Amino acid sequence: MNLAEKISRLKKEKKAIILAHNYQRPEIQDIADYVGDSIELSRKAMFEKDAEILVLAAVDFMAESAAILNPEKKVLLPTLGARCPMAQMLTVDEIKRAKSHYPDAPVVLYVNTLATSKAFCDICCTSANAVEVINSLNADTVLFGPDRNLAEYVAEKTGKTLIPIPEWGFCPTHLLFQPEDITVLRQQYPDATVMSHPECSGEIRRVSDFVGSTSKMCYYAKECSAKTIVVATEEGILHRLHKENPEKRFVIAYEGAVCPNMKLTTLDRVYTALKEEKHVVKVPEKIAKKARTTLEKMFLVKS
Ligand code: 13P
Ligand code: SF4
């Protein structure tokens, strides 16, 4: 039996399912029960009834969200080191400091945050619904963290003032995309369409034809008429894009755009995680309760 088959057997034995992010390694996406963006993974975790174990082939904050939204289940993160560096960029102290300067401004946090921070915000958002979440608020000035690029993108779309907390939050992987690379690719593929993630800089967004979450990019790639699509997000998404659109050509805007944290999840580690039922992700109920409210509020916003 190969590893994938062993994992499949263990999944059945233990009533487990694997929820994988769009950036996961191809072999992980192929054994997953569901592959999606961060809001889709949260939704799946929240509504899962039958499974007893949820394996999050993803990074820390995604596993935390699953544990918060469905506390009855055992949530496993195969590698404890799979941490999103952006999620570490916003501390509770920073939120309190910002709030003391803008006491009337609601605090909106990107889901790429730790549960302890989420517990101190008014509502969460993902890159798939950030514009709708901000528009749903009865406020023109909003404290938003930790991604400065997403804050700028949403401010452009909504006309509201988004104050980034911290001032400098960013995703190290999306920072790697440079506008000159897009210029070269546009010359090389004049009929191509360019899609990017809102974690990219404004310079990249402005030369893109479509900006959206990882799954929204997948849906756009299916629907658009372009035969060649330039992709400015983490390279793991190419696997799903190729699988769903075998007739189209996908060109990554920068070949080194790898999130090392996402890539820490390997077949070996998923197998061990399932066999030994580790690493269990638990959020203390006092924090989970507050964070759950901010995530549930997000799900009520139509997007
Ligand atoms: P998505 O919600 O678009 O999948 O984004 C998550 C993420 O970490 C992007 O870097
Ligand atoms: Fe975090 Fe960036 Fe990796 Fe997404 S790509 S998980 S934001 S480091």
Side-chain angles (χ1 to χ4, degrees):
M1 239 194 279
N2 64 28
L3 254 186
E5 287 163 346
K6 283 187 189 167
I7 291 171
S8 166
R9 196 181 61 180
L10 268 182
K11 272 199 320 182
K12 276 197 203 103
E13 267 172 38
K14 301 204 175 205
K15 283 197 160 186
I17 59 164
I18 300 176
L19 304 177
H21 187 263
N22 289 318
Y23 294 160
Q24 288 290 295
R25 293 169 184 273
E27 61 275 23
I28 299 290
Q29 295 192 31
D30 289 345
I31 56 150
D33 295 271
Y34 186 77
V35 180
D37 67 7
S38 48
I39 195 162
E40 290 170 336
L41 297 184
S42 287
R43 209 180 276 124
K44 279 276 162 195
M46 179 163 68
F47 292 116
E48 178 55 38
K49 293 218 160 39
D50 302 332
E52 282 167 17
I53 296 178
L54 311 180
V55 179
L56 266 289
V59 287
D60 55 355
F61 73 86
M62 296 180 185
E64 269 194 353
S65 293
I68 291 168
L69 289 165
N70 201 339
E72 315 263 276
K73 309 290 177 194
K74 189 180 260 189
V75 174
L76 303 180
L77 183 66
T79 320
L80 275 185
R83 297 199 186 121
C84 167
M86 190 207 279
Q88 317 278 333
M89 290 178 187
L90 184 59
T91 61
V92 171
D93 282 351
E94 188 73 42
I95 300 173
K96 287 183 179 165
R97 196 161 38 241
K99 197 72 197 157
S100 72
H101 291 303
Y102 298 92
D104 299 328
V107 179
V108 180
L109 292 192
Y110 193 23
V111 286
N112 297 42
T113 39
L114 297 177
T116 41
S117 294
K118 284 189 180 79
F120 281 86
C121 79
D122 293 290
I123 184 167
C124 286
C125 72
T126 77
S127 58
N129 62 14
V131 170
E132 290 83 358
V133 166
I134 296 295
N135 273 334
S136 76
L137 300 172
N138 188 19
D140 288 328
T141 301
V142 174
L143 294 166
F144 188 97
D147 189 16
R148 195 191 165 98
N149 285 330
L150 183 61
E152 278 174 15
Y153 169 70
V154 177
E156 278 163 28
K157 289 277 175 195
T158 60
K160 299 198 183 195
T161 303
L162 269 72
I163 296 156
I165 47 168
E167 258 183 71
W168 48 271
F170 64 96
C171 162
T173 304
H174 286 85
L175 202 70
L176 298 170
F177 295 104
Q178 299 298 309
E180 50 272 33
D181 295 338
I182 308 272
T183 308
V184 171
L185 288 169
R186 280 215 188 263
Q187 282 160 0
Q188 207 175 335
Y189 304 103
D191 297 329
T193 194
V194 176
M195 54 184 195
S196 65
H197 195 275
E199 288 175 14
C200 290
S201 68
E203 285 171 300
I204 297 293
R205 289 196 314 270
R206 281 187 278 280
V207 294
S208 300
D209 301 296
F210 178 80
V211 178
S213 78
T214 54
S215 285
K216 284 197 172 171
M217 279 191 227
C218 293
Y219 305 136
Y220 174 77
K222 263 194 200 166
E223 284 157 19
C224 76
S225 56
K227 299 271 174 289
T228 301
I229 303 176
V230 172
V231 183
T233 195
E234 209 271 351
E235 60 84 45
I237 199 173
L238 293 175
H239 181 64
R240 176 169 167 190
L241 290 171
H242 285 304
K243 226 171 152 176
E244 294 181 349
N245 311 274
E247 74 295 354
K248 297 194 179 187
R249 172 169 36 202
F250 294 96
V251 184
I252 192 88
Y254 175 63
E255 298 225 337
V258 175
C259 172
N261 319 284
M262 282 283 180
K263 298 310 195 248
L264 284 176
T265 307
T266 60
L267 279 184
D268 274 310
R269 287 170 174 167
V270 170
Y271 175 69
T272 310
L274 262 175
K275 199 165 121 218
E276 296 175 16
E277 298 191 16
K278 67 174 193 185
H279 305 274
V280 180
V281 177
K282 273 208 177 101
V283 179
E285 186 47 29
K286 205 170 151 214
I287 292 167
K289 195 172 168 216
K290 287 190 194 163
R292 192 175 300 125
T293 313
T294 68
L295 285 164
E296 284 171 353
K297 272 198 212 162
M298 166 183 87
F299 281 114
L300 294 177
V301 175
K302 273 213 168 77
S303 62

